[in-house]
Amino acid sequence: MMADSIMSKAATMEIPINSNGDTGTLQEDDSLEQDLQQVMVSGPNLNETNIVSGGYGGPAGGIIPTSSIKGPAVRFNPEYLDRRRGPAPGPGSSNNNTGNSTEEVSRGVAVEKLDSVKKWGINTYKCTKQMFSERFGKGSRTVDLELEAQIDVLRETKNKYETILRLATALTSHFQSMVQTQQALGDTFTELSQKSPELQDEFGYNAETQKLLCRNGEALLSAIGFFVSGIDTLINKTMEDTLMTIKLYENTRLEFDAYRSDLEEQSLNPRDGAAMVRIEMAQQDYQIHRDKYERLRSDVTIKLKFLEENKVKVMQKQLLLFHNAISAYFAGNQEQLEQTLIQFNVKLKPPGADKPSWLEEQ
């Protein structure tokens, strides 16, 4: 009931303000004044707070330290403050020093985080502005024609190699089904040759043929699996690593152009004292992002060069393997097929190696 009475009075009362900023005399009871004093004591310390000004034409940085704001002194009840803080520490106690050091560390971490968020916000704003300017044709962008052409070729090559990988994977699946069918057909012929004496030789010939085709098919599956694994590594590891570096390069290029445009805009302003300070800061930011851009552009150039060399070596080996294995299998040359596996160090997979285990099927 006491709280409701206070809120009712605070909501309906009017506080007259004199010309010098002092409040007039309140014609209310003393209990409301004491409660308001207690609220002021338990509230935040205004001298340690920064007010962010978002208005147009404000001071530089938009930060107004409230220590510069003058106003009437706030009266408070010392006894209430003592009750909140508890008994004073005895002589020689280090609790006060420990509390102060902890408070300073916490305050330092908070300031560091606030500064990081501020820098991130400024950078995001500049990059977003630059991105929209480029998209609508109002801003300029830095272009390395030779490097951009190489990046486009890499992305096109990656798309084509992904098509090869998809088709080779489908071929493996279809051929594996055929080999499994041949295996089942050979087992059936063997069983019938034992149960049909009048057709024993005919069933026996067909059983041996299907088993031979099955063994050769397993050898071809091992070769195709080796081919698929090599292409997958080239696409999803080697090329993807280079494309990640390219993505970082493109983001850095956007940041570089954003700070370059900002420096150009600052240079067009009148050259007063404050403007010269802003131009100098913009020049420093521009140089930092230019160095970062140049470094990543060099990294991309080097990775593209090594990627091209690696791609040629890998594809020469994989394409030769694929050709020799397919040719030997469909020519019925079992010896050449085995020699191809030995030449490229391809291990023959045991039958059913690609099938899931009984634990995976559960």
Side-chain angles (χ1 to χ4, degrees):
M1 295 299 293
M2 181 62 181
D4 295 338
S5 176
I6 292 174
M7 294 303 295
S8 176
K9 293 178 182 179
T12 58
M13 66 188 298
E14 296 181 357
I15 304 176
I17 305 298
N18 297 331
S19 59
N20 59 357
D22 296 332
T23 58
T25 304
L26 300 178
Q27 301 298 327
E28 301 293 338
D29 54 6
D30 295 336
S31 61
L32 177 59
E33 181 179 358
Q34 293 178 359
D35 292 322
L36 290 176
Q37 291 172 359
Q38 294 175 0
V39 172
M40 295 301 295
V41 170
S42 60
N45 186 355
L46 295 180
N47 292 329
E48 298 177 356
T49 307
N50 288 333
I51 300 176
V52 180
S53 174
Y56 179 79
I63 306 299
I64 305 176
T66 57
S67 58
S68 62
I69 301 176
K70 304 297 182 180
V74 179
R75 295 183 294 109
F76 61 91
N77 188 353
E79 295 181 358
Y80 176 76
L81 183 60
D82 293 339
R83 289 197 302 271
R84 286 177 57 85
R85 291 180 175 177
S93 175
S94 61
N95 293 336
N96 191 21
N97 294 333
T98 304
N100 291 337
S101 61
T102 304
E103 182 180 357
E104 291 177 357
V105 171
S106 301
R107 185 178 303 173
V109 173
V111 170
E112 183 179 355
K113 290 183 178 179
L114 181 61
D115 184 62
S116 176
V117 171
K118 180 181 177 181
K119 290 181 179 179
W120 173 84
I122 294 174
N123 185 75
T124 302
Y125 167 74
K126 292 182 183 294
C127 293
T128 304
K129 180 181 177 182
Q130 177 67 23
M131 181 178 63
F132 279 103
S133 297
E134 294 177 3
R135 183 166 297 179
F136 291 104
K138 296 182 179 180
S140 60
R141 64 186 297 264
T142 303
V143 179
D144 188 330
L145 295 178
E146 183 180 357
L147 186 60
E148 293 290 339
Q150 294 178 2
I151 293 174
D152 291 340
V153 170
L154 171 60
R155 288 186 170 130
E156 183 179 358
T157 302
K158 183 174 182 290
N159 290 334
K160 292 180 178 179
Y161 278 33
E162 286 175 344
T163 302
I164 293 176
L165 178 62
R166 184 174 64 255
L167 294 175
T169 303
L171 176 63
T172 303
S173 178
H174 297 326
F175 197 79
Q176 186 174 8
S177 298
M178 187 184 72
V179 170
Q180 291 174 354
T181 303
Q182 289 175 337
Q183 178 69 42
L185 187 60
D187 293 341
T188 303
F189 283 154
T190 301
E191 182 179 358
L192 288 174
S193 67
Q194 297 174 356
K195 296 182 179 180
S196 304
E198 66 281 3
L199 296 174
Q200 182 177 5
D201 294 338
E202 289 77 4
F203 277 129
Y205 296 151
N206 281 277
E208 291 297 329
T209 301
Q210 294 301 321
K211 289 180 181 180
L212 177 61
L213 291 175
C214 185
R215 286 196 300 269
N216 292 340
E218 290 171 354
L220 181 60
L221 280 175
S222 299
I224 298 177
F226 189 84
F227 174 81
V228 169
S229 177
I231 300 296
D232 181 74
T233 301
L234 179 63
I235 294 174
N236 295 319
K237 292 186 178 180
T238 311
M239 289 185 177
E240 191 63 29
D241 177 71
T242 304
L243 288 174
M244 288 295 295
T245 306
I246 291 173
K247 185 176 181 180
L248 291 176
Y249 159 75
E250 292 174 343
N251 293 337
T252 304
R253 196 278 310 164
L254 181 64
E255 291 181 354
F256 166 66
D257 282 335
Y259 283 90
R260 176 183 54 80
S261 300
D262 181 66
L263 177 60
E264 293 174 354
E265 293 178 1
Q266 295 290 345
S267 300
L268 297 176
N269 295 331
R271 300 299 182 92
D272 55 3
M276 293 303 297
V277 173
R278 289 194 294 269
I279 291 175
E280 183 178 355
M281 295 178 62
Q283 180 68 37
Q284 294 176 359
D285 292 336
Y286 165 79
Q287 189 63 42
I288 292 173
H289 287 84
R290 179 181 179 181
D291 295 341
K292 184 179 179 181
Y293 166 74
E294 294 289 346
R295 184 174 64 253
L296 276 172
R297 183 173 66 175
S298 176
D299 292 345
V300 170
T301 303
I302 294 173
K303 283 200 172 186
L304 285 173
K305 179 181 178 181
F306 285 134
L307 173 62
E308 183 65 22
E309 295 175 355
N310 187 33
K311 182 193 72 175
V312 171
K313 292 180 181 179
V314 170
M315 292 307 298
Q316 282 179 343
K317 177 180 179 180
Q318 296 295 336
L319 291 174
L320 185 60
L321 165 67
F322 189 81
H323 173 269
N324 291 346
I326 292 288
S327 300
Y329 174 82
F330 285 100
N333 193 336
Q334 181 181 2
E335 182 179 356
Q336 182 181 352
L337 181 59
E338 294 175 353
Q339 289 296 325
T340 299
L341 298 182
I342 296 174
Q343 177 184 355
F344 293 95
N345 296 321
V346 179
K347 296 181 178 180
L348 183 63
K349 295 181 180 180
D354 295 330
K355 295 181 180 179
S357 64
W358 65 273
L359 287 176
E360 297 174 342
E361 291 178 346
Q362 298 301 317

